[in-house]
């Protein structure tokens, strides 16, 4: 097995030297040939990944957060080379969705030892693909306002602090959704999420269990916040509170295109990256990405577990 690693040294709170040391020790102990590309600002990561795949690497791993994983995924679309995840970011939501351990050694063991491959859908905006979600509203404004130094210093708490300020400023205007040609209007909408995965942020912040990354469809969920009490319930849920206390949320499935329009421009993020403002149109590319996931033991496999195929 030959593995190519794209390492983002400024992602999350991990010491990059520690990541390199542990990774090298693991691969050397298992006799695995590997190569590491350490990213720099402005790197064309999808092109770097495609070049590595063309050189015959069996797996290409992203060592970083969700943004790094998403960038690497864009170089592996519709190919035979699988994406590995070494979660060293702040939130690591995609790793949790794929049930990849957040412990560095355990994640490396999945990368080098698992034969399970999960084939998932990706979201599309123009010619770009995203693995988790596209959202407009409070979360996008929060991500845009939280700089890298805040994330390195405070971790997840940095998002909570900024999110509190954004929630206080939110006014919840009217949003118009076009879901496969059907029009839906929602008032007092603080957040609109087009989701490919149920995990959208922190450990307990999860959408409907019906949201799956391998079902050939996306889901758009609108969170309505029309009062101070609703703001506090939303913040409490984000901090790990009772999901039954979440302010009103409505979800709609989509199979072709979801377009978000708003009566005032809302900031938009995709996989944690600020990409502009509404309006925005999101499509789906079914079964477009192969991901290395933990091997599921037969006795623990259930109907609601991720579907995977042998690698």
């Amino acid at each position: 097995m030959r593995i190519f690693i794209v390492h983002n040294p400024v992602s999350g709170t991990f010491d990059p030297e520690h990541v390199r040391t542990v990774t090298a020790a693991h691969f050397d102990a298992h006799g695995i040939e590997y190569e590491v590309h350490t990213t720099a600002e402005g790197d064309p990561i999808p092109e770097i990944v495609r070049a590595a795949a063309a050189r015959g690497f069996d797996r290409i791993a992203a060592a970083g957060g969700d943004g790094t994983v998403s960038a690497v995924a864009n170089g592996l679309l519709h190919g035979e080379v699988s994406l590995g995840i070494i979660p060293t970011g702040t939130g690591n939501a995609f790793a949790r969705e794929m049930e990849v351990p957040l412990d560095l050694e355990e994640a490396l063991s999945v990368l080098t030892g698992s034969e399970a491959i999960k084939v998932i859908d990706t979201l599309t905006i123009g010619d770009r693909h995203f693995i988790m979600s596209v959202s407009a509203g409070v979360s996008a404004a929060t991500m845009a306002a939280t700089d890298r130094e805040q994330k390195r210093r405070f971790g997840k708490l940095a998002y909570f602090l900024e999110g509190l300020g954004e929630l206080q400023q939110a006014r919840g205007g009217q949003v118009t959704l076009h879901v496969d040609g059907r029009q839906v209007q929602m008032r007092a909408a603080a957040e609109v999420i087009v989701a490919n995965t149920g995990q959208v942020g922190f450990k307990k912040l999860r959408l409907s269990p019906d949201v799956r990354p391998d079902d050939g469809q996306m889901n758009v969920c609108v969170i309505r916040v029309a009062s101070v009490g609703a703001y506090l319930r939303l913040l409490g849920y984000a901090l790990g509170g009772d999901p039954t206390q979440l302010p009103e949320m409505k979800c709609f499935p989509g199979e072709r295109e979801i377009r978000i329009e708003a009566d005032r421009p809302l900031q938009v993020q995709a996989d944690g990256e600020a990409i502009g403002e509404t309006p925005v149109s999101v499509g789906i590319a079914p079964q477009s990405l192969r991901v290395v996931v933990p091997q599921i033991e037969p006795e623990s496999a259930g109907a609601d577990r991720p579907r995977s195929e042998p690698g």
Side-chain angles (χ1 to χ4, degrees):
M1 183 184 296
R2 299 175 66 227
I3 298 178
F4 186 86
I5 302 169
V6 177
H7 178 211
N8 182 351
V10 298
S11 178
T13 57
F14 276 79
D15 174 45
E17 186 58 39
H18 174 71
V19 173
R20 287 190 288 266
T21 299
V22 172
T23 300
H26 179 89
F27 287 156
D28 290 344
H30 290 80
I32 293 174
E33 181 182 346
Y34 69 98
E35 182 177 321
V36 179
H37 172 84
T38 301
T39 63
E41 187 174 356
D43 271 0
I45 293 177
E47 287 83 353
I48 292 168
V49 168
R50 282 190 284 268
R55 289 164 53 201
F57 284 93
D58 301 293
R59 291 177 177 177
I60 298 182
D66 295 319
T68 304
V69 178
S70 182
V72 171
N74 269 265
L76 296 174
L77 299 165
H78 304 290
E80 294 301 316
V81 179
S82 299
L83 167 70
I85 306 167
I86 305 174
T88 63
T90 303
N92 301 309
F94 189 69
R96 290 197 302 276
E97 180 76 24
M98 296 293 106
E99 300 187 357
V100 173
L102 300 187
D103 177 83
L104 183 55
E105 282 278 12
E106 293 179 11
L108 289 167
S109 294
V110 170
L111 175 62
T112 58
S114 179
E115 295 183 353
I117 302 297
K118 183 176 175 62
V119 185
I120 70 169
D121 314 323
T122 54
L123 302 176
T124 64
I125 298 178
D127 60 357
R128 292 192 64 185
H129 290 243
F130 301 95
I131 54 178
M132 292 193 309
S133 66
V134 176
S135 67
V138 170
S139 70
T142 298
M143 291 178 182
T146 308
D147 62 33
R148 180 166 287 161
E149 180 56 33
Q150 286 176 295
K151 289 189 286 185
R152 290 189 65 84
R153 185 175 179 184
F154 300 111
K156 297 176 185 178
L157 182 60
Y159 290 121
F160 295 147
L161 295 174
E162 289 292 346
L164 178 59
E166 295 298 334
L167 283 172
Q168 290 174 329
Q169 295 180 45
R171 292 294 182 267
Q174 178 171 292
V175 169
T176 301
L177 304 177
H178 300 271
V179 183
D180 295 340
R182 307 187 313 272
Q183 181 172 303
V184 181
Q185 290 189 327
M186 304 286 290
R187 290 189 176 278
E191 183 78 8
V192 182
I193 305 169
V194 179
N196 185 46
T197 61
Q199 188 78 48
V200 294
F202 303 102
K203 188 173 182 179
K204 293 188 178 182
L205 189 54
R206 188 174 183 85
L207 297 176
S208 164
D210 296 332
V211 179
R212 297 174 57 96
D214 59 352
D215 60 2
Q217 68 177 19
M218 49 192 160
N219 291 263
V220 57
C221 296
V222 181
I223 299 175
R224 301 179 67 224
V225 178
S227 68
V228 173
Y231 289 144
L232 296 176
R233 290 197 300 275
L234 178 58
L235 182 63
Y237 178 52
L239 289 166
D242 183 353
T244 64
Q245 299 301 308
L246 185 66
E248 182 181 353
M249 179 171 70
K250 292 187 177 181
C251 296
F252 311 89
E255 296 181 351
R256 299 188 305 276
E257 182 182 64
I258 294 174
R259 181 173 174 83
I260 305 170
E261 299 174 349
D263 59 355
R264 57 183 175 83
L266 299 176
Q267 293 194 58
V268 178
Q269 71 82 28
D271 288 352
E273 175 189 351
I275 62 169
E277 296 182 335
T278 54
V280 61
S281 296
V282 185
I284 187 167
Q287 302 288 287
S288 52
L289 180 66
R290 296 166 58 86
V291 184
V292 181
V293 297
Q295 188 74 48
I296 300 174
E297 297 299 328
E299 61 270 20
S300 65
D304 61 341
R305 297 296 297 276
R307 299 194 296 270
S308 59
E309 62 183 39

